[in-house]
Amino acid sequence: MSQFVKAVLFDLDGTLIDTAADFVRIIGKMSQENGWQAPSETEIREQVSAGASAMVQLMLRHNEQTDFSEETLLEFRQQFLDDYEADICVDSHVFDTLEDVLSALEEKGVPWGIVTNKPRYLSELLLEKMQLDTRCAVLVCPDDVSRPKPDPEPMYAALEKLGIPRGAAASVIYVGDHIRDIEAGNAAGMPTILAAYGYIPPEDQNNLKKWGADYITETPEQLSKLLLSSGKFDYL
């Protein structure tokens, strides 16, 4: 029996949009400016979900800069964020086949939205650059809540903005690539889908089933097929 769905929510980086290439570019630029060797693309991708500080620390430690102060870390982090804001969407793109999912949902009149731990000013700018801002029905960022994911508060905020009562959370799918995404969605009572193609470190790869997602998709194509499967979900 298929499950009735009123809306679909996505995490942003590593789930709906592949933003890693822009982070790789910025870390490469910062490394070059300091006469350092940049970490590999794979190493940087694995740190994206951990945030700007984690990527900056990776760069420093990769170049044996281990005795840095908190002030130095904050300075590099701010430079990273400033460079990212200035050129936020050079190489970022919607993951293959997921544009088809967004279009299909829109054709069915099913709202889709984003619940992310990315700051609002960067999330809004990225969506605007990608011309997704007017299509996204709801955007919830850490700035909007007192407790970000893995707490369910952002999920409840998204439901409220969509006009869906908490009691109907089971009709809203949440897709994410981090354990905090699955924990937040599960805590809110939403069906959860793990985007295992996202920015997941190697040490977590063998534990994905333990995260408790209702579904695990290994590729964007698998996610698209699942979301558009009439045997699983009913959007009518």
Side-chain angles (χ1 to χ4, degrees), residues 167-227:
S171 65
V172 178
I173 297 171
Y174 187 61
V175 189
D177 72 319
H178 195 280
I179 188 172
R180 63 172 169 258
D181 299 326
I182 305 306
E183 290 176 344
N186 287 345
M190 298 177 178
T192 52
I193 302 176
L194 172 58
Y197 55 82
Y199 307 144
I200 301 175
E203 59 267 24
D204 290 334
Q205 290 289 347
N206 294 327
N207 298 316
L208 299 184
K209 290 183 179 180
K210 297 179 181 179
W211 290 6
D214 294 295
Y215 305 93
I216 298 177
T217 53
E218 300 292 340
T219 64
E221 290 77 12
Q222 284 186 11
L223 174 59
S224 299
K225 185 176 181 180
L226 175 62
L227 287 174

Side-chain angles (χ1 to χ4, degrees), residues 13-51:
D13 299 80
T15 299
L16 181 61
I17 300 177
D18 189 355
T19 52
D22 281 318
F23 296 130
V24 170
R25 174 178 52 80
I26 291 167
I27 289 293
K29 171 180 174 291
M30 292 175 64
S31 298
Q32 184 178 29
E33 289 172 350
N34 287 278
W36 297 335
Q37 182 179 8
S40 69
E41 178 179 350
T42 298
E43 290 174 308
I44 296 171
R45 288 179 70 92
E46 291 169 354
Q47 295 300 317
V48 170
S49 290

